[in-house]
Amino acid sequence: MLVIESGKFKGKRIDIVPDKRTRYTTGKVRRALISMFDVSDKEVLELCAGSGITGFEFLSNGAKFVTFVDASEKAIKTIKKNALILGVKESVNIVKIDARIFLKRNTKKFDIVFMDPPYELGIGNELLNLFGNEIWKNSIIVFEHSKYEKVKIPEFLEIIKQKKYGNIILEILRHIS
């Protein structure tokens, strides 16, 4: 079980994905994220969502709507169950698709994008390169990755802030205007 760290669902427990390969954004990092942004009434996209814990943390703190994307059937079932546990089924869209394909096909604007792809497989760099089109111009992109991962930020994105939490790095990015 995971615990929501802040907001109206603080202390509520949600299920984890029944897969040992799934890694979760720590409570410390989620609390830090919430302190960095005013998520009130924001449209949020969580890529490589796993259990959905980060998106649910955003909803707990006032986000209007969260779209969860994951390629794993186990993750999708877990997110659906967690949305029911928290009573937020009407505030979420749950999409079973590879995050790279989702970004290539997406036409909807999001205020905040949070992505926590599997570490050290290059998927993060692939995802970053898919934020080049106009639809992402006003989005804040939060990229969680391992400090051991070689990250190449595309030239159309700039780092607004970088935070380190042990072996985890959060890159806060936006389009260069």
Side-chain angles (χ1 to χ4, degrees):
M1 301 290 275
L2 294 169
V3 178
I4 303 289
E5 295 288 328
S6 61
K8 67 184 176 184
F9 302 131
K10 182 178 180 175
K12 290 231 180 195
R13 296 183 180 279
I14 66 168
D15 282 352
I16 61 171
V17 179
D19 187 333
K20 292 182 285 190
R21 297 171 297 175
T22 304
R23 179 187 36 74
Y24 299 96
T25 299
T26 66
K28 179 180 181 178
V29 172
R30 286 184 277 121
R31 285 189 306 275
L33 269 172
I34 293 304
S35 72
M36 286 182 214
F37 302 108
D38 176 6
V39 298
S40 301
D41 295 321
K42 300 288 193 255
E43 293 270 346
V44 176
L45 171 62
E46 184 177 0
L47 298 172
C48 306
S51 67
I53 186 66
T54 304
F56 291 124
E57 197 80 52
F58 284 133
L59 281 172
S60 182
N61 285 276
K64 177 172 44 176
F65 197 85
V66 177
T67 297
F68 295 95
V69 175
D70 203 292
S72 161
E73 184 63 38
K74 290 178 181 178
I76 294 301
K77 285 180 180 177
T78 302
I79 295 166
K80 287 178 180 178
K81 184 175 180 184
N82 289 335
L84 288 172
I85 288 169
L86 295 173
V88 295
K89 191 176 173 187
E90 70 288 342
S91 300
V92 303
N93 180 27
I94 303 166
V95 184
K96 183 187 178 299
I97 193 170
D98 184 286
R100 294 164 288 198
I101 296 169
F102 178 87
L103 288 178
K104 288 175 186 174
R105 295 179 181 171
N106 178 60
T107 57
K108 183 178 178 181
K109 293 184 180 197
F110 293 93
D111 300 301
I112 300 170
V113 178
F114 176 78
M115 58 184 220
D116 180 14
Y119 285 0
E120 301 176 41
L121 297 179
I123 296 170
N125 286 322
E126 289 181 52
L127 292 171
L128 287 174
N129 283 304
L130 295 172
F131 287 101
N133 68 36
E134 289 288 316
I135 199 163
W136 304 108
K137 285 269 185 193
N138 296 314
S139 299
I140 297 294
I141 301 160
V142 181
F143 175 30
E144 178 181 330
H145 62 88
S146 163
K147 74 177 185 180
Y148 303 108
E149 192 163 2
K150 292 183 183 192
V151 174
K152 185 171 183 332
I153 305 297
E155 68 223 17
F156 53 83
L157 294 176
E158 68 178 337
I159 299 172
I160 303 169
K161 188 182 288 189
Q162 183 185 71
K163 293 287 199 174
K164 296 178 182 174
Y165 304 92
N167 293 333
I168 297 170
I169 296 177
L170 286 182
E171 308 271 6
I172 316 300
L173 309 157
R174 70 174 174 206
H175 265 264
I176 296 173
S177 300

